[in-house]
Amino acid sequence: MTPLPALTFLFGHACWLVCLALGVRQLFVRPRWYGLVTIGIGVLQFLAVPLAMWLVMRAQGIEWGS
């Protein structure tokens, strides 16, 4: 695997935790809708990685457990 997809996977898979932590912090420090938006972005990042893996595997004809 080349370094760019590996780094993309690493940052895409781990950065949702940062968004979640900062969103929760924003809710407690300043209760504004920015915290909910940040948490929403974290959730979207969390869901994007498995979706991308599923789409790539499906395009290659690979199934889970094979």
Side-chain angles (χ1 to χ4, degrees):
M1 180 180 273
T2 60
L4 185 59
L7 286 174
T8 304
F9 177 75
L10 176 70
F11 288 124
H13 199 62
C15 287
W16 68 273
L17 290 171
V18 176
C19 286
L20 188 65
L22 289 176
V24 170
R25 181 186 172 274
Q26 285 176 342
L27 287 177
F28 285 114
V29 173
R30 289 188 230 166
R32 294 186 179 169
W33 65 277
Y34 297 120
L36 295 175
V37 170
T38 307
I39 291 172
I41 290 171
V43 168
L44 289 176
Q45 284 182 344
F46 176 74
L47 294 175
V49 172
L51 178 65
M53 288 183 350
W54 178 73
L55 289 172
V56 169
M57 288 177 65
R58 185 171 177 192
Q60 297 294 323
I62 303 170
E63 294 186 18
W64 292 105
S66 63

